[in-house]
Amino acid sequence: MTIADKDLIDAAKVARENAYCRYSGFAVGAAILDDNGNMHVGCNIENAAYPLGNCAEASAIAAMVLEGGNRIVRIAVVGGSGDIAPCTPCGGCRQRIHEFGDDDTVIITMDDSNDWQQYSIEELLPASFHLP
Ligand code: THU
């Protein structure tokens, strides 16, 4: 069975409902399609010690690695409304996606208006740092 973009977006929306975002009130969900055809989801998890918070993308990547996925084929990120939409991945998460992505990795963002955009990691993180 092929997981379609709509399935990924729907899964990210469901994951977003579990976001633990009591400090920012900004809920984000993410869903990854991996190289095995499996899906992994995550949400943002904040902490009273603010820098310890996890982004939704980081949570989804952690789930992917734990569940045996190797590469991000597609990742949907759902979050944001009004002036803070769409929720494009933060700088750190761009680097995280780069670690497990490749030239063909697709990053889909969707906000509360259901407006969506599609990016490559090269668009989001040009001239990236990586090791051989
Ligand atoms: N956040 C994410 O989960 N993903 C992003 O790409 C951007 C920001 C979270 C972090 C924090 O919990 C909240 O959104 C507000 O910054």
Side-chain angles (χ1 to χ4, degrees):
M1 190 189 79
T2 306
I3 294 173
D5 285 345
K6 183 178 184 313
D7 301 321
L8 269 191
I9 289 166
D10 286 348
K13 286 181 176 178
V14 172
R16 186 188 185 197
E17 290 171 13
N18 285 331
Y20 179 79
C21 56
R22 58 181 290 191
Y23 303 104
S24 73
F26 191 86
V28 185
I32 291 170
L33 174 66
D34 77 12
D35 53 316
N36 297 319
N38 296 323
M39 185 161 63
H40 314 276
V41 297
C43 59
N44 56 330
I45 305 169
E46 299 184 346
N47 193 280
Y50 291 177
L52 296 182
N54 290 335
C55 284
E57 298 91 323
S59 299
I61 289 170
M64 180 189 81
V65 172
L66 177 68
E67 293 160 7
N70 301 296
R71 311 299 298 163
I72 300 172
V73 176
R74 305 176 87 78
I75 177 169
V77 181
V78 176
S81 60
D83 289 345
I84 41 176
C87 175
T88 49
C90 75
C93 285
R94 293 175 193 209
Q95 184 72 29
R96 289 188 177 98
I97 293 166
H98 183 276
E99 183 75 22
F100 294 98
D102 55 37
D103 291 347
D104 297 326
T105 295
V106 174
I107 299 113
I108 301 159
T109 64
M110 179 175 276
D111 64 20
D112 278 350
S113 310
N114 288 330
D115 288 335
W116 63 277
Q117 298 285 335
Q118 184 171 304
Y119 304 94
S120 67
I121 194 61
E122 176 61 24
E123 286 177 293
L124 294 183
L125 192 68
S128 63
F129 174 73
H130 55 273
L131 297 174

